[in-house]
Amino acid sequence: MEQVSIIGNALGIPGKITYGDHHKKAEAFITQEALAPLDQQIERVLTRKLDILVMPILTINFMFAFVDRANLGNSKIVGLEKDLGMHGYDFNWASTAFYFTYILIELPSNIILRKIGPRIYLSALCFCFGIITFSTAFIQNFRSLIAERLLLGLAEGGLLPGYAYYLSTLYPRYELGARITGMMTASLSSGFVGGFLALGFANSPPFGQIHTWRHIYFFEGIISMALAIVTFIVLPNGIKDAWFLSESEKRVGLERLRRQELEDFKPTITREHIRQGVMNINNWLAASIYAFMNVPVQSCILFLPTIIHAMGYTSSKAQIMSGAPFLVGTFILAFQGILSDKLKRRGLVVLIFVPFMALCFMLLLIFTLNGPALLHRTGLRYMALFLGVSLGTCGGPLCLAWATNNTPSAAVRAVTTALIVGMGTVGAFIASWTYTNKNAPLYITGHSINLGFSLVAIGLIIAYWAYCSWENHQRDLGRRDHRLGGLSHEEMHNLGHKHPEFRYAS
């Protein structure tokens, strides 16, 4: 079918646009067939520079954000509870406090980011969570720990939605999945890095009142603050002011983003952008998947050292063993992101790997509930955990990329990322209570909760995938064309994801 593209004309692109199947339409509102081709050599150099100079900074910062928030679990098994006089559910309340402020700041944070700019704002967030972590080394009681966790949530709450939005202003649509999952491998590698850092720092010689778990916070806070300074020096606000790009690379970078946008860049987020983000069923499905998957994932990140320690291993060995599945999972998650970009399928890749998380907790319950013969085979229980953590943690990162792909407007994407990460945080909030001292050492309740949430997440993934495929088919048949009737060009642009020429990633 050939017709004159309204979007193409709005962008100043003359002539006729030939539409292919809905997979091509999912890449952009207009196909590349009617456009002057971009210089592939320049595009490759541009992408390589972004991958080398931007991605490592975001990934390392994000990893240390996770290390700083999750070191509570490593600190627990080297004396934190005893030194601060904690008992009962105090540890769970300390874990939960982080998410109270984390949830509240996410959407406002992305709005501030759009006003201030990524370079200053993201660097400031990193410096703030570094100095808060550093100061935790000097706290003396449980109340101070709660205050520190509340402040840490405030500092870290804007990172993930801010980073996801920032990447969407640098990379085109189907290069985004690998980058978001690549960055979010940091959440898994933090389990490995954090475990080994905790092992090294906790066994360092004491100086003054700084010892064991206080060493962990002291040194990790210094590392985070140093990384924030590097971020401020290197990170650009966007393609236009990237100091490492030539003028030709900037032109290509801006053009490839412009070709997939519904609108020209707007510096502020309006009420209409917020409405489109909140009223999009895709966002709520993706957010629900993220929230349900975040329960088992965050449970593993926070409690894996505790679960392994309860199997009978020493604290040092538990820290090492908890790091191994996260290390392997880091590489597998990166592969999953690359695979989903290559196939241009988010739902399929998520659906292949997420069931491994459900299988993990199903096996743990089988091994735990079927008598002492299996219960004492701790190697089998550890292998079940290894399987789930290393293979089944891709749901959140890929759903974030999935929803970002299904949001054509840059301003609405800022709302979308904040909404989805905010809902995901509800899952992390629940995860803080899945494993309590009361249920030690078997943790049957925690395993059951995580199995249930994993199974519901799988059902939601199927529903989201089916909806995107069905809606694309309706648009292929022209059953959404009536939405353009009587609208001006500006009103057509404002349709966003509802525009009949747009196709959802599936």
Side-chain angles (χ1 to χ4, degrees):
M1 179 179 68
E2 288 191 347
Q3 63 184 27
V4 176
S5 170
I6 297 169
I7 303 299
N9 289 342
L11 292 174
I13 300 167
K16 294 182 178 180
I17 307 297
T18 303
Y19 293 105
D21 61 21
H22 68 80
H23 303 311
K24 281 188 177 180
K25 284 186 174 184
E27 294 183 27
F29 275 82
I30 49 178
T31 67
Q32 307 302 311
E33 297 169 35
L35 302 173
L38 297 174
D39 188 308
Q40 292 185 357
Q41 179 61 30
I42 293 178
E43 197 170 4
R44 280 194 295 269
V45 173
L46 161 68
T47 302
R48 191 183 309 121
K49 286 183 177 180
L50 291 173
D51 287 346
I52 291 173
L53 291 169
V54 173
M55 284 303 303
I57 292 174
L58 299 186
T59 303
I60 294 172
N61 278 341
F62 195 57
M63 179 183 71
F64 271 92
F66 259 87
V67 167
D68 289 351
R69 86 175 67 164
N71 57 21
L72 191 65
N74 288 312
S75 299
K76 177 183 179 182
I77 61 177
V78 289
L80 174 118
E81 287 182 305
K82 180 181 177 181
D83 288 353
L84 299 185
M86 296 166 61
H87 52 82
Y89 294 115
D90 285 354
F91 180 83
N92 300 90
W93 278 116
S95 303
T96 305
F98 172 86
Y99 296 107
F100 284 121
T101 48
Y102 190 97
I103 292 173
L104 293 176
I105 197 62
E106 284 168 325
L107 180 56
S109 181
N110 261 16
I111 295 174
I112 297 169
L113 170 65
R114 292 269 294 189
K115 290 179 178 293
I116 296 178
R119 179 169 173 259
I120 294 175
Y121 188 67
L122 296 178
S123 302
L125 290 182
C126 293
F127 191 84
C128 286
F129 75 69
I131 200 167
I132 292 166
T133 300
F134 175 80
S135 65
T136 307
F138 302 94
I139 62 174
Q140 298 297 327
N141 53 57
F142 174 62
R143 289 184 179 180
S144 298
L145 179 62
I146 292 292
E148 177 272 333
R149 298 291 291 179
L150 289 169
L151 290 173
L152 191 65
L154 202 62
E156 291 191 12
L159 282 182
L160 180 52
Y163 283 175
Y165 167 71
Y166 178 59
L167 289 174
S168 75
T169 67
L170 300 177
Y171 292 95
R173 204 175 183 206
Y174 277 106
E175 291 182 9
L176 201 56
R179 273 72 189 185
I180 289 180
T181 54
M183 179 193 71
M184 292 184 71
T185 58
S187 63
L188 295 183
S189 59
S190 69
F192 171 76
V193 174
F196 274 89
L197 287 178
L199 180 63
F201 293 150
N203 289 289
S204 299
F207 56 94
Q209 66 169 343
I210 307 300
H211 59 84
T212 55
W213 64 269
R214 295 184 186 275
H215 275 148
I216 298 174
Y217 286 100
F218 183 88
F219 290 112
E220 288 177 2
I222 291 174
I223 294 171
S224 296
M225 287 188 284
L227 287 170
I229 296 171
V230 174
T231 302
F232 179 76
I233 295 170
V234 176
L235 204 69
N237 277 319
I239 296 290
K240 282 184 179 180
D241 66 351
W243 56 269
F244 49 82
L245 296 179
S246 67
E247 288 303 316
S248 60
E249 290 161 357
K250 289 179 182 179
R251 284 195 297 270
V252 169
L254 292 171
E255 176 61 19
R256 67 178 188 167
L257 293 174
R258 186 178 73 91
R259 290 182 180 188
Q260 69 175 10
E261 294 292 344
L262 258 178
E263 58 184 28
D264 293 330
F265 176 78
K266 294 180 180 179
T268 57
I269 297 174
T270 66
R271 289 184 179 179
E272 175 60 21
H273 295 139
I274 296 174
R275 188 194 67 79
Q276 284 192 28
V278 172
M279 300 303 291
N280 186 346
I281 188 174
N282 291 280
N283 290 347
W284 287 105
L285 282 169
S288 298
I289 296 167
Y290 198 173
F292 276 87
M293 276 306 304
N294 229 15
V295 175
V297 171
Q298 294 297 326
S299 292
C300 290
I301 290 173
L302 185 59
F303 292 108
L304 199 58
T306 301
I307 296 170
I308 295 173
H309 184 49
M311 292 179 185
Y313 296 100
T314 65
S315 59
S316 296
K317 196 166 185 178
Q319 286 172 332
I320 295 172
M321 292 175 69
S322 66
F326 289 115
L327 176 63
V328 175
T330 298
F331 293 103
I332 293 177
L333 181 56
F335 165 76
Q336 291 163 343
I338 294 169
L339 180 64
S340 72
D341 274 0
K342 292 291 185 184
L343 298 177
K344 296 180 180 175
R345 295 290 186 278
R346 305 299 186 210
L348 177 63
V349 175
V350 174
L351 201 54
I352 289 172
F353 288 99
V354 164
F356 283 103
M357 184 62 80
L359 179 62
C360 158
F361 292 104
M362 191 179 299
L363 290 174
L364 283 172
L365 287 172
I366 291 172
F367 296 153
T368 303
L369 296 173
N370 279 272
L374 285 176
L375 180 61
H376 292 305
R377 298 186 68 177
T378 55
L380 288 176
R381 292 159 66 194
Y382 176 72
M383 286 308 298
L385 285 168
F386 198 105
L387 187 73
V389 172
S390 61
L391 290 174
T393 53
C394 67
L398 284 182
C399 279
L400 183 57
W402 195 357
T404 303
N405 289 164
N406 288 338
T407 308
S409 163
V412 180
R413 276 200 302 273
V415 179
T416 295
T417 53
L419 172 66
I420 292 171
V421 175
M423 281 287 289
T425 304
V426 175
F429 184 97
I430 297 170
S432 300
W433 291 90
T434 50
Y435 294 94
T436 63
N437 292 336
K438 179 182 177 181
N439 293 313
L442 300 182
Y443 297 115
I444 293 172
T445 301
H447 297 336
S448 301
I449 291 170
N450 285 330
L451 174 60
F453 276 92
S454 298
L455 292 173
V456 174
I458 292 169
L460 289 169
I461 292 164
I462 294 171
Y464 188 17
W465 190 16
Y467 171 76
C468 290
S469 301
W470 174 80
E471 181 61 26
N472 283 340
H473 184 60
Q474 300 306 302
R475 296 182 186 195
D476 287 342
L477 296 175
R479 293 176 180 171
R480 302 292 184 260
D481 292 349
H482 63 275
R483 293 174 178 171
L484 299 178
L487 298 183
S488 66
H489 283 184
E490 183 178 354
E491 289 170 330
M492 291 177 188
H493 298 165
N494 290 336
L495 285 175
H497 64 280
K498 292 185 177 181
H499 199 291
E501 293 179 1
F502 183 67
R503 297 298 183 272
Y504 292 125
S506 59

